[in-house]
Amino acid sequence: MNRAWLLALGVFATIVASVTGLVLLPDRQLRGTQPVQDEDRGIALPAGYFGDAEEGRKVYMDLGCIYCHTQQVRPEGFGADIERGWGMRRSVARDYIHDEPPLMGTMRTGPDLMNIGARQPSEQWHYLHLYDPRITSPGSIMPPHRFLFEVRHSPDGLPEDAVRLPDEFAERKPAWIVPKERARWLVAYLKSLDHNYEVPEAR
């Protein structure tokens, strides 16, 4: 009992060291991180999320996509991310300066999505994939998100972004899927995920 103060001092020192090493020093090191300027396009990157993409980021969080997908490309020698085509370089802190909160994820039940907008720029691909992942990715274990769509069976009055379902995936033929607002937002966000630009710290 007479050494209780030593135990208390050890606990206090551990907390101080942890906060300093895990919070204060990284914050000081990264606080001034800024976007890089793309001289060819005249824009700063990463550009951040606006409009539908900003709303789609909320849908991504709401649907829990982070529990199966990461958004972090590992460096060469720490996995096969770059060999798989998930990005042209490793992810760096600069990539997340507009992300609040960062959606890096910890599980990879599905592929990394850090650059899914570059890998799959087609809206139609994303709509079909969300409606039934097995349409675009045979053997996928991702659950379908059909509640994000309305199904119609007549071509009359279809909006421009309606997508014809392959007959083998339609319960009644012909069938088109019409994305609801949350599907449009989510796809806008997924298409915005493109970090294939050069940064000095990853050269």
Side-chain angles (χ1 to χ4, degrees), residues 19-36:
V19 171
T20 301
L22 299 175
V23 180
L24 299 180
L25 289 179
D27 179 68
R28 181 177 178 181
Q29 182 183 19
L30 300 174
R31 180 174 291 273
T33 304
Q34 297 293 323
V36 292

Side-chain angles (χ1 to χ4, degrees), residues 43-134:
I43 58 175
L45 298 169
Y49 311 102
F50 305 96
D52 287 354
E54 185 178 20
E55 294 301 318
R57 192 168 190 273
K58 299 173 185 173
V59 176
Y60 185 91
M61 291 189 284
D62 181 48
L63 295 178
C65 304
I66 191 174
Y67 295 111
C68 292
H69 295 281
T70 56
Q71 290 187 29
Q72 47 179 314
V73 178
R74 293 175 294 186
E76 289 180 307
F78 289 86
D81 295 5
I82 294 176
E83 288 81 356
R84 287 172 174 163
W86 290 351
M88 60 179 247
R89 60 163 174 81
R90 66 181 172 88
S91 300
V92 298
R94 193 189 305 269
D95 294 325
Y96 305 97
I97 59 176
H98 298 301
D99 291 16
E100 186 59 44
L103 302 176
M104 299 173 72
T106 57
M107 292 285 291
R108 277 188 172 168
T109 306
D112 185 88
L113 300 181
M114 189 70 175
N115 296 293
I116 185 63
R119 298 204 309 269
Q120 297 292 352
S122 164
E123 285 183 359
Q124 287 193 351
W125 186 94
H126 285 287
Y127 288 144
L128 289 171
H129 187 72
L130 287 170
Y131 182 81
D132 188 335
R134 281 157 289 279

Side-chain angles (χ1 to χ4, degrees), residues 8-21:
L9 182 61
V11 171
F12 178 74
T14 300
I15 293 173
V16 170
S18 299
V19 171
T20 301

